[in-house]
């Protein structure tokens, strides 16, 4: 058994035999034909016809939108103009390989020049040309293989079309040697729920047929696993599948402690998906996402209609709306377009709203209107609140507009350290771990060069979360977490152990977090939090908590067996 590492996408686990994706074929040399034009023409015709037939067959099996794409490819392969171009080159003495390569490349350039729909088809020509070349050379065609049984696909990277067309009945998991967590492949894999590990550099050593366990949660690929490891992976996959398919229930720990699982949203149109995935409300509605490209502040009427649509989608559930969060990663020219040396430390969040109080007042007016017109339980909060005075300023103002639940985001160490005094004024706190990590670790969240510091598992960040959690418990006020950290199932447990009473995340993360919470009691979450706090760094905390969690008894098994 050996273990390879990469970046896991999602929380799934899968196992199966490796099938490698064939690499792109090198372009043929321009050499004269040794067999003569007639023979080359026949070779080319047969290869093209075989590829067209294969694409047509794949189209019929694929169905849906994939069928249309593949049928279009089959038609392009046999396009008579293209055929003439191939023949002309062969008549000039070329091999079938060179003629196909050169004719398809020329046709590609023509389509690209036309643009529009035809331009978009240009990339398909490369795929067809590669398939015809592979036929002519008698080698495997590049692209997603079809071995006729379920398999773990290993590739350097996938073209977007390959990922979109993946047959999820056949592809058990995906491992790529290239790409990172934000690569196109990773984004599509996340969207389609494919168990995937990207950037697994050593996966080049994986041979066809090797059995592997792909553990996206751990970011590992285990080759030649033992029977016991396969059994454990199988059990985990089954539990996860059951949890994802089960009708969503409210978030709760194994001992019954309720932890509300809420959605992070940027537009009302995303509400339906959140509701379908069992969101118990909205923990963070990022209002600035609605106006990122606007040069002028949105009107009260415009805002009111949008907020009404959002609130209506959630019935009588809780919806936490954040006031416009301008600055740094979320520029809003109408709130702050000044050049700042360090925009993350500048006039952003509540600071910029306060500098344009009319815009803040208009937003509160629109929210109060939407609140009056709907049944949802509207909570409002201000971003990047640093001081107790700012807390009092915002919550007093919100109440002036009749908004009954007013809180603050804790994203700056200063407000985390004084959380008890902040909570003396605010009705609730919501911890933004993305910014809290940025400000605790002094690492700009936009800068790749310091991305290594941007890890919410760092015990310094967790200690601050613990300060807010403890203050919430002392004052009896809710403390939510709405940064990306809440979407990591293991870290979610630690956050609960540190005192978080609700977690808000991208809707796609809800099922995995719900499952992780259901497996542990509050006492266990607290003990895992202690383990994390005792570590020296983020990696140490993550590994120690993973180890400690694995050693805990499984409540899931106790209740289901
Ligand atoms: C955060 O900072 O964690 C947060 C939730 O807000 P945003 O990511 O929008 O800054
Ligand atoms: Mg933030």
């Amino acid at each position: 058994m050996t273990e390879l590492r990469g970046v896991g996408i999602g929380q799934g686990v899968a196992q199966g035999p490796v099938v490698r994706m064939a690499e792109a074929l090198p372009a043929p040399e321009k050499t004269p034909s040794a067999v003569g034009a007639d023979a080359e023409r026949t070779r080319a015709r047969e290869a093209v016809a075989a590829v067209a037939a294969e694409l047509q067959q794949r189209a019929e099996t694929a169905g849906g939108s994939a069928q249309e794409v593949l049928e279009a490819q089959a038609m392009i392969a046999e396009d008579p103009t293209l055929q003439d171009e191939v023949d002309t080159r062969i008549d000039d003495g070329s091999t079938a390989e060179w003629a196909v390569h050169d004719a398809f490349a020329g046709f590609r350039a023509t389509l690209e020049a036309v643009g529009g729909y035809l331009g978009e088809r240009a990339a398909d020509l490369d795929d067809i040309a590669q398939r015809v070349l592979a036929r002519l050379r008698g080698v495997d065609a590049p692209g997603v293989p079809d071995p006729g049984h379920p398999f773990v696909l290993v590739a350097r990277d996938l073209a977007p079309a390959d990922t979109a067309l993946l047959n999820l009945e056949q592809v058990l998991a995906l491992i790529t040697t290239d790409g990172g967590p934000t690569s196109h492949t990773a984004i599509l894999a996340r969207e389609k729920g494919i168990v995937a590990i990207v950037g697994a550099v050593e996966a080049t050593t994986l041979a066809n047929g090797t059995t592997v366990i792909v553990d996206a949660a751990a970011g590992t690929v285990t080759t030649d696993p033992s029977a016991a490891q396969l059994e454990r992976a199988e059990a985990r996959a089954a539990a996860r599948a059951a949890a994802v398919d089960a009708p969503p229930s409210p978030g709760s720990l194994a001992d019954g402690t309720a932890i509300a699982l809420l959605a992070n949203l940027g537009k009302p149109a995303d509400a339906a998906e959140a509701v379908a995935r069992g969101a118990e409300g909205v923990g963070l509605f990022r209002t600035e996402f609605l106006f990122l490209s606007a040069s002028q502040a949105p009107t009260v009427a415009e805002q009111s209609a949008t907020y009404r649509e959002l609130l209506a989608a959630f019935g009588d559930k809780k919806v936490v709306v954040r006031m416009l969060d301008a600055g740094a990663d979320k520029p809003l020219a109408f709130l702050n377009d000044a050049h700042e040396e360090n925009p993350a430390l500048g006039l952003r969040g509540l600071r910029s709203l306060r500098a344009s109080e009319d815009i803040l007042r208009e937003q509160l007016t629109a929210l109060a209107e939407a609140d009056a017109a709907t049944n949802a339980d509207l909570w409002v909060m201000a971003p990047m609140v640093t001081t107790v005075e700012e807390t009092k300023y915002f919550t007093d103002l919100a109440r002036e507009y009749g908004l009954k639940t007013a809180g603050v985001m804790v994203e700056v160490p200063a407000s985390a350290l004084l959380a008890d005094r902040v909570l003396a004024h605010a009705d609730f706190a919501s911890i933004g771990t993305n910014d809290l990590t940025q400000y605790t670790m002094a690492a700009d969240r936009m800068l790749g060069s310091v991305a290594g510091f941007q890890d919410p598992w760092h015990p310094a960040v967790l200690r601050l979360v613990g300060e807010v959690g403890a203050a919430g418990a002392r004052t009896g006020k809710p403390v939510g977490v709405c940064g990306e950290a809440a979407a990591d199932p293991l870290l979610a447990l630690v956050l609960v152990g540190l005192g978080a009473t609700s977690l808000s995340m991208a809707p796609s993360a809800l099922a995995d977090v719900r499952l992780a919470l259901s497996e542990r009691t509050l006492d266990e979450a607290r003990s895992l939090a202690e383990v994390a706090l005792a570590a020296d760094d983020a990696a140490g905390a993550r590994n120690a908590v993973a180890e400690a969690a694995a050693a805990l008894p499984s409540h899931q098994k106790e209740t289901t067996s």
Side-chain angles (χ1 to χ4, degrees), residues 284 286 288 322 325 329-330 348 409 411 431-436 445 482-484:
L284 168 65
R286 291 179 160 108
E288 64 284 348
R322 170 172 80 185
D325 184 15
D329 54 317
K330 298 178 283 275
R348 55 161 305 197
M409 285 193 76
E411 311 186 84
I431 306 174
T433 47
N434 308 335
D435 276 315
L436 187 60
R445 65 193 265 194
C482 63
E484 287 303 303

Side-chain angles (χ1 to χ4, degrees), residues 10-11 216-218 433 455-457 481 483-496 503-506 509-510 512-514 516-517 538 542 545-546:
Q11 296 297 318
T433 47
D455 193 332
W457 274 97
V481 175
E484 287 303 303
D488 171 339
L490 196 56
L491 186 48
L493 276 169
V494 169
L495 298 170
V496 167
L503 301 169
S504 192
M505 64 207 75
L510 286 164
D512 285 321
V513 173
R514 187 180 293 117
L517 295 189
R542 188 187 281 108
V545 170

Side-chain angles (χ1 to χ4, degrees), residues 246-251 259-265 270-284 310-311 313-320 502-514:
S249 52
I259 303 292
L261 296 179
L262 309 163
N264 287 356
L265 298 182
D270 295 339
E273 192 211 339
V275 172
R277 289 181 185 262
E280 294 166 59
V282 177
L284 168 65
L310 172 76
L311 295 180
F314 285 92
D316 61 359
K317 294 193 169 90
K318 163 172 147 181
V319 176
V320 185
S502 68
L503 301 169
S504 192
M505 64 207 75
S508 59
L510 286 164
D512 285 321
V513 173
R514 187 180 293 117

Side-chain angles (χ1 to χ4, degrees), residues 28-48 81-104 132-133 136:
E29 302 276 319
K30 190 178 182 189
T31 47
S33 166
V35 293
D38 286 347
E40 296 289 5
R41 244 195 315 273
T42 311
R43 290 180 67 225
R45 289 254 157 84
E46 280 175 4
V48 167
T81 326
L82 198 46
Q83 203 69 65
D84 288 349
E85 292 290 327
V86 172
D87 288 351
T88 312
R89 285 161 179 78
I90 289 177
D91 291 343
D92 288 346
S94 290
T95 59
E97 283 87 343
W98 169 260
V100 165
H101 166 75
D102 197 46
F104 273 69
V132 177
L133 267 186
L136 287 167

Side-chain angles (χ1 to χ4, degrees), residues 372-388:
T374 53
N375 296 323
D377 180 16
L378 174 63
W379 295 22
V380 294
M381 64 184 181
M384 241 216 39
V385 171
T386 311
T387 66
V388 177

Side-chain angles (χ1 to χ4, degrees), residues 437 441 451-462 488 490-491 494 531-546:
T437 306
M441 304 303 291
F453 290 93
Q454 262 290 333
D455 193 332
W457 274 97
H458 198 283
V461 178
L462 297 178
D488 171 339
L490 196 56
L491 186 48
V494 169
V531 169
L533 289 172
D536 285 346
D537 53 28
R542 188 187 281 108
N543 293 337
V545 170

